[in-house]
Amino acid sequence: MPVHAPAPFPAARLRRMRRTHALRDLVAEHAVTAADLIWPVFIREGTGVEEPVPSMPGVSRLSLDVMLRKAAEAHEAGVGAICLFPYTAPDLRTEDCAEAWNPENLTNRAIRLLKAELPGMAVMTDIALDPYNINGHDGFVVDGQILNDETVEALVRMALAQCEAGADILGPSDMMDGRIGAIRTATEAAGFQGVAILSYAAKFASGFYGPFRDAVGASGRLVGDKKTYQVNPANRLEALRCVARDLDEGADMVMVKPGMPYLDICRAVKDEFGVPTFAYQVSGEYAMLAGAIERGWLGETVMLESLLSFKRAGCDGVLTYFAPAAARALRG
Ligand code: PBG
């Protein structure tokens, strides 16, 4: 878009439109609203439990009753969607990951509870094997190799169980090849035509996921790294190919992850494809900001400022652990 060169000073004084709050708001180019936010939540067994995640100040693993109460508060403040991540009990983490497609697993019970009690809130899920896997990987591991096609079959089962429970949006975060097409074919065949897929299309092999792995109990278990399936942080064109591929296979929306260190990718995706584009402001980004705010090193304004960066970069919405706090801040 052409940027008009300003008239020479003093005909042009760019400070004129910055003079008051009302004038600044009149010419604001972007805005974050609570409706743009998807709130990722860590769930666990129990009742009345709120178990802090030390590497994520202000974030806790919640039992389903507490999760429901907090989801209702967030929804009341304007947050339109919630995304569930289970902390799976250690004895349910197995090599075959069978708990992932158990209709009664923690996530599927949470989906049913939310859809029964808070039908207006969209429920998004995570599709990947890591919360159920003995070794912390997103796919089946045999002889140190992450199996692609066998994993995709398991992901399809997982997706169908989540659809059965009432999920609105499926979030495949595993980065196996062919999973979007396989899930789309299966959901169509099973009659879940209305279930959307928000593909973690451009998911990079990032160091910023550390606190998340603490939260879901995968850090101590992870053997090796995820570089054979997540995208190399050096690669922009490959990220765009991932997005193109997932759209071709039937994704309704795409995600770039992490967020702030990859805003160039967000902008490129929006410009290139013009589709609903999301960023995930991941656990490590949250930890940096929330940790600095907690210590008084940064003011709380950085929360909304960071979310605005995603809108400026072309994103339609953001997955952020700040969602409830941001919604409250936006209410004033
Ligand atoms: C794994 C998954 C990860 C996140 C969401 N789903 C971590 C990983 O790939 O190891 C990270 C989210 C965050 O860091 O906030 N399927």
Side-chain angles (χ1 to χ4, degrees):
M1 208 194 304
V3 177
H4 192 275
F9 176 83
R13 287 182 186 269
L14 293 174
R15 287 184 57 192
R16 283 187 199 114
M17 292 311 295
R18 299 180 196 139
R19 191 171 57 82
T20 70
H21 189 83
L23 293 177
R24 287 191 295 273
D25 274 1
L26 270 181
V27 297
E29 297 171 37
H30 297 282
V32 186
T33 69
D36 298 324
L37 307 178
I38 300 177
W39 183 31
V41 175
F42 301 111
I43 51 177
R44 49 155 296 154
E45 295 291 351
T47 39
V49 187
E50 210 175 326
E51 179 184 32
V53 178
S55 50
M56 299 181 73
V59 170
S60 296
R61 299 177 188 127
L62 309 175
S63 57
L64 298 192
D65 57 326
V66 180
M67 180 277 294
L68 179 62
R69 178 165 49 77
K70 290 185 181 282
E73 287 166 10
H75 191 46
E76 172 61 31
V79 177
I82 188 170
C83 182
L84 302 168
F85 291 100
Y87 173 85
T88 308
D91 56 311
L92 294 175
R93 297 176 197 242
T94 57
E95 225 163 290
D96 69 2
C97 306
E99 182 64 7
W101 50 90
N102 175 356
E104 291 305 318
N105 73 17
L106 188 60
T107 296
N108 292 329
R109 277 181 281 136
I111 297 169
R112 285 196 196 89
L113 180 68
L114 283 163
K115 293 319 295 182
E117 303 294 328
L118 268 183
M121 193 169 209
V123 178
M124 174 171 166
T125 63
D126 180 59
I127 299 182
L129 300 181
D130 53 325
Y132 310 98
N133 209 341
I134 197 115
N135 50 50
H137 277 290
D138 292 17
F140 293 127
V141 185
V142 173
D143 297 332
Q145 304 289 316
I146 317 296
L147 302 184
N148 192 89
D149 302 11
E150 294 80 351
T151 298
V152 169
E153 282 176 34
L155 299 173
V156 166
R157 275 195 237 166
M158 194 174 172
L160 290 173
Q162 294 172 351
C163 289
E164 206 71 62
D168 297 294
I169 305 168
L170 304 177
S173 70
D174 54 284
M175 289 302 280
M176 296 300 117
D177 287 321
R179 89 272 206 223
I180 300 300
I183 291 170
R184 175 57 81 210
T185 303
T187 55
E188 281 294 317
F192 298 113
Q193 285 89 350
V195 178
I197 299 176
L198 169 45
S199 166
Y200 286 60
K203 178 172 177 178
F204 292 88
S206 170
F208 285 96
Y209 308 147
F212 172 96
R213 293 178 191 167
D214 296 341
V216 298
S219 348
R221 289 182 175 81
L222 185 63
V223 181
D225 57 45
K226 301 192 175 184
K227 291 181 183 171
T228 69
Y229 45 108
Q230 299 177 347
V231 180
N232 181 345
N235 293 356
R236 176 176 172 280
L237 295 175
E238 185 186 350
L240 295 179
R241 283 167 68 202
C242 289
V243 170
R245 189 261 319 258
D246 286 5
L247 290 170
D248 281 348
E249 291 185 17
D252 303 285
M253 306 174 272
V254 293
M255 188 202 297
V256 175
K257 176 187 176 185
M260 285 159 60
Y262 295 86
L263 289 175
D264 59 320
I265 310 291
C266 297
R267 170 48 66 196
V269 168
K270 193 54 163 192
D271 288 350
E272 199 68 33
F273 302 100
V275 297
T277 302
F278 289 75
Y280 197 144
Q281 184 180 49
V282 299
S283 57
E285 303 174 62
Y286 173 85
M288 291 194 298
L289 296 173
I293 293 168
E294 192 184 38
R295 285 166 178 76
W297 294 347
L298 290 174
E300 223 174 332
T301 57
V302 298
M303 174 175 70
L304 292 181
E305 184 182 336
S306 70
L307 295 175
L308 200 49
S309 74
F310 296 108
K311 299 302 299 255
R312 224 173 42 238
C315 292
D316 297 278
V318 189
L319 285 92
T320 176
Y321 300 96
F322 283 120
R328 278 193 295 275
L330 286 164
R331 286 226 163 154

